Amino acid sequence: MLRSVRAELLKTRRRFDWLLLALLAGTALLLGAGGAPDSLQELASGYSAFFYTLPIVHVLVMPVGMAALTSRLWDAETRGNTRKLLFTLQSRGDFYAAKTLLGLFYLLVLAGMEALGLLAMGRVYAFTEALDPGRLLWLLVCSAAVEAVLLAAFTLLQLRFSSPVLLLGVGLGCSMGGFFLAMLADIGSMGAAVLYAAPFAWFLPLSDMEMAWDTAARQAVYLPQPRRYALLAAALGVGALLFLWGRRAAADREV
Amino acid sequence: MTQNAVETHDLSKVYGTRAAVQGLALEVPFGSVYGFIGPNGAGKTTTMKLLLGLIRPTGGSIRLLDEELTPANRLKLLSRTGSLIENPGFYAHLTGAENLRIVAELKGSDAADIARVLDTVRLTPDANRKVGHYSLGMRQRLGIAMALLGWPTLLVLDEPTNGLDPAGIQEMRALIAEMPRRCGATVLISSHLLSELEQIVDHVGILDSGRLLYQGTLAGLQEHSRGDVALRLLHPEAAQAPLAAAGLAAAARCENGEWLLPPLKEAFLADLVGSLAAAGAGVVGVNRRTKSLEEIFLSLTQGGSGTGVV
């Protein structure tokens, strides 16, 4: 297994996967910020605003981002004859597990980039609100869990169809669909219920920050929400199930 | 211990209703260069994939390097095997040496082994170029280099000369022919380029529609398929009587000034030549035509049309 992991690391050389991660983190933060804060009230709720907007932005960005990441991780092996050689050298289970480990490592790097970017933006804009580390951790863990579900699902698709175009198409569809569901959820309770049926949009129900509009003061008010631990556990469970399914698919597939 | 590096017993693989390989009993002796010949779609690649455990057999068994191949010992056995199946796949963003490092990591080979195989396939000067910039011939050689890592006892090469130009084919042929001497490896090589294999193999298996039509030494095959006898005569008209007396009047035919006779035993041929000389036919040449592997193959597979056969 260790050899398989080391082989995966060797393959990352000059693949510049980190550029994709930086692009995803940067896009999420820039869209989440929505421009420089221009009032004392916005500076006083700078981090809370991010905790509210980032899950929404993740719904839009991450499905297509995870499709692209899956493609980078798997493309060389699912499209060419590389597996015919690799499967004479390593077990299919080890091969799949090593790739999954690398993918999870990338999700940690992505979370780290977002955290650092968030802190940097707080410094640059001089937020007056103190950062709540627990809330940041919750955001990062929940995001990574949903991203892991997406990564595992897209890996299954890639193993089955070996088509990066299809993968990106489905990723784009999930991004658009998730964003539409987010709008629907904002309108009424039925929409919120639909969100639970769409794991690619679970960034939203896992968010622990809500926003209300204070019409008198004409400003946004951010309200902490109870955390949905059961949904986080469900995300981890779905991710694990998809991993096992993918492992089986990789092991059964004749090359 | 058997004498064979590869043995299969009643091996078969069925896809849906189509049998790609049927009842195959392959015997590849240790230290041999075994040519696996057949037209496109004969089942060569399927057989090689079965030997490497890349696909599961529908029936039968496989012995590799004196051990029964099972899911449990597959990787252990394959660690002593090098393979090149179809066009090799590479990581185009990495250099040749970096691609080899990945395989070396998985095989547990060291840097010295990488240098050795690069030298063997004459890629050392290009080792640090990206594989994306390699020519087809260089890619094929890199594929062979990957197969050679870890000093394999058995090499399984599926059409390694595919897509190469004549110079590349010649280079690859020389490379493969010297494998048993350089590495002590048994080589199982498939091709539909029959003339290519004829020059490097010592054993042959001829496959058609998933069935083995012939298996044995190349010399045995050629002996088994002894060719016509061609007689060059100064006075062909004087040959009629001796040929009729030998019972060959109907079978003999004259082409381009030569009398062509069906395959004959040595003693019978000697007597015939004596009679012809006595009759004043003026025998100036006796030539036993050895069939090329290609002719033998076509006659065995009844493939006069020879689709896909070069």
Side-chain angles (χ1 to χ4, degrees):
Chain A
M1 178 64 190
L2 202 58
R3 280 183 176 165
S4 295
V5 172
R6 282 204 294 258
E8 285 307 316
L9 290 176
L10 287 172
K11 293 174 200 170
T12 63
R13 192 164 183 183
R14 273 198 295 281
R15 207 166 60 184
F16 304 111
D17 294 341
W18 62 269
L19 266 179
L20 173 64
L21 301 178
L23 181 72
L24 288 176
T27 306
L29 287 168
L30 287 175
L31 287 176
D38 56 3
S39 71
L40 286 177
Q41 193 278 333
E42 281 183 358
L43 289 175
S45 60
Y47 289 118
S48 294
F50 265 111
F51 293 143
Y52 171 71
T53 56
L54 271 181
I56 299 172
V57 173
H58 282 164
V59 168
L60 187 64
V61 171
M62 289 309 169
V64 74
M66 289 304 110
L69 185 59
T70 307
S71 180
R72 289 202 72 77
L73 280 171
W74 284 90
D75 211 25
E77 280 92 3
T78 49
R79 293 178 74 201
N81 283 326
T82 323
R83 276 186 300 177
K84 291 185 177 71
L85 173 67
L86 292 178
F87 287 174
T88 63
L89 307 171
Q90 61 187 140
S91 83
R92 294 163 193 232
D94 281 358
F95 169 72
Y96 184 81
K99 279 224 180 286
T100 303
L101 274 180
L102 182 63
L104 292 178
F105 172 71
Y106 280 158
L107 297 188
L108 287 181
V109 172
L110 178 59
M113 283 178 169
E114 282 195 334
L116 288 174
L118 189 58
L119 291 172
M121 288 180 107
R123 278 286 182 89
V124 170
Y125 292 136
F127 290 163
T128 52
E129 182 188 21
L131 175 69
D132 181 344
R135 209 164 288 285
L136 175 62
L137 188 65
W138 175 258
L139 170 72
L140 297 178
V141 167
C142 291
S143 300
V146 182
E147 286 155 12
V149 170
L150 288 168
L151 204 62
F154 287 135
T155 298
L156 264 173
L157 271 181
Q158 179 76 346
L159 284 172
R160 177 68 184 82
F161 297 105
S162 308
S163 164
V165 177
L166 174 77
L167 211 59
L168 287 175
V170 173
L172 206 59
C174 287
S175 287
M176 295 297 137
F179 201 64
F180 173 74
L181 288 176
M183 299 293 194
L184 207 65
D186 215 28
I187 295 167
S189 58
M190 193 190 80
V194 170
L195 269 183
Y196 286 94
F200 52 86
W202 279 357
F203 296 102
L204 279 180
L206 281 167
S207 169
D208 66 350
M209 187 64 77
E210 260 300 333
M211 186 198 76
W213 183 250
D214 184 342
T215 45
R218 297 184 60 78
Q219 64 185 30
V221 179
Y222 297 97
L223 308 165
Q225 296 294 307
R227 289 170 183 160
R228 296 183 173 96
Y229 290 101
L231 188 59
L232 176 60
L236 294 174
V238 170
L241 278 177
L242 287 172
F243 165 75
L244 292 174
W245 187 3
R247 197 167 189 269
R248 170 63 72 88
D252 287 348
R253 195 165 174 76
E254 295 190 333
V255 294
Chain B
M1 173 155 171
T2 66
Q3 293 177 327
N4 297 319
V6 178
E7 270 185 26
T8 67
H9 299 283
D10 202 19
L11 188 66
S12 63
K13 177 68 181 177
V14 178
Y15 291 106
T17 54
R18 189 180 69 84
V21 171
Q22 326 176 42
L24 200 67
L26 207 59
E27 291 181 356
V28 180
F30 273 107
S32 65
V33 178
Y34 185 107
F36 203 34
I37 306 163
N40 290 334
K44 304 182 299 289
T45 301
T46 303
T47 304
M48 290 184 154
K49 285 181 178 178
L50 286 166
L51 296 180
L52 296 169
L54 293 173
I55 54 177
R56 283 178 291 275
T58 309
S61 63
I62 298 167
R63 281 183 75 81
L64 276 189
L65 305 172
D66 235 15
E67 277 188 61
E68 193 84 17
L69 181 71
T70 65
N73 69 0
R74 190 180 81 90
L75 286 176
K76 190 195 91 181
L77 284 176
L78 294 185
S79 68
R80 295 159 59 198
T81 303
S83 64
L84 174 68
I85 298 293
E86 296 172 328
N87 295 323
F90 300 110
Y91 300 97
H93 64 287
L94 299 177
T95 65
E98 286 164 349
N99 270 277
L100 285 169
R101 257 191 83 192
I102 293 171
V103 177
E105 177 65 45
L106 292 168
K107 277 192 169 179
S109 305
D110 55 18
D113 202 22
I114 294 175
R116 174 186 69 87
V117 297
L118 278 169
D119 182 51
T120 302
V121 301
R122 294 181 278 283
L123 268 182
T124 306
D126 300 292
N128 294 318
R129 279 176 62 195
K130 281 189 189 175
V131 169
H133 299 149
Y134 274 20
S135 67
L136 189 59
M138 289 163 78
R139 284 170 182 244
Q140 291 293 100
R141 278 188 280 150
L142 184 62
I144 298 274
M146 286 178 165
L148 289 176
L149 276 170
W151 295 93
T153 326
L154 171 66
L155 276 173
V156 179
L157 307 174
D158 183 22
E159 312 229 13
T161 54
N162 241 1
L164 296 183
D165 58 22
I169 290 174
Q170 197 171 19
E171 193 176 18
M172 187 64 68
R173 190 171 60 207
L175 193 65
I176 292 164
E178 65 185 17
M179 284 307 146
R181 184 180 56 79
R182 283 187 78 144
C183 317
T186 303
V187 181
L188 171 60
I189 177 174
S190 78
S191 181
H192 60 267
L193 294 167
L194 309 175
S195 53
E196 287 310 313
L197 289 194
E198 191 168 11
Q199 296 174 51
I200 59 173
V201 302
D202 44 47
H203 285 71
V204 199
I206 295 181
L207 195 71
D208 189 34
S209 303
R211 290 184 184 280
L212 203 55
L213 301 181
Y214 173 84
Q215 178 171 244
T217 61
L218 181 60
L221 178 63
Q222 285 165 338
E223 178 61 26
H224 174 73
S225 310
R226 222 167 15 188
D228 293 346
V229 173
L231 296 174
R232 272 179 57 80
L233 306 174
L234 282 177
H235 308 292
E237 66 283 356
Q240 296 283 11
L243 286 174
L248 292 168
R253 63 190 192 280
C254 192
E255 275 182 19
N256 303 324
E258 283 186 335
W259 277 97
L260 296 179
L261 308 176
L264 301 173
K265 289 188 176 167
E266 302 278 314
F268 188 88
L269 181 59
D271 287 346
L272 179 64
V273 170
S275 322
L276 287 167
V283 181
V284 291
V286 179
N287 180 27
R288 190 187 287 281
R289 288 187 166 176
T290 304
K291 283 185 182 174
S292 71
L293 201 52
E294 187 170 328
E295 288 169 322
I296 297 166
F297 170 77
L298 287 175
S299 66
L300 278 172
T301 57
Q302 302 288 307
S305 57
T307 47
V309 177
V310 179

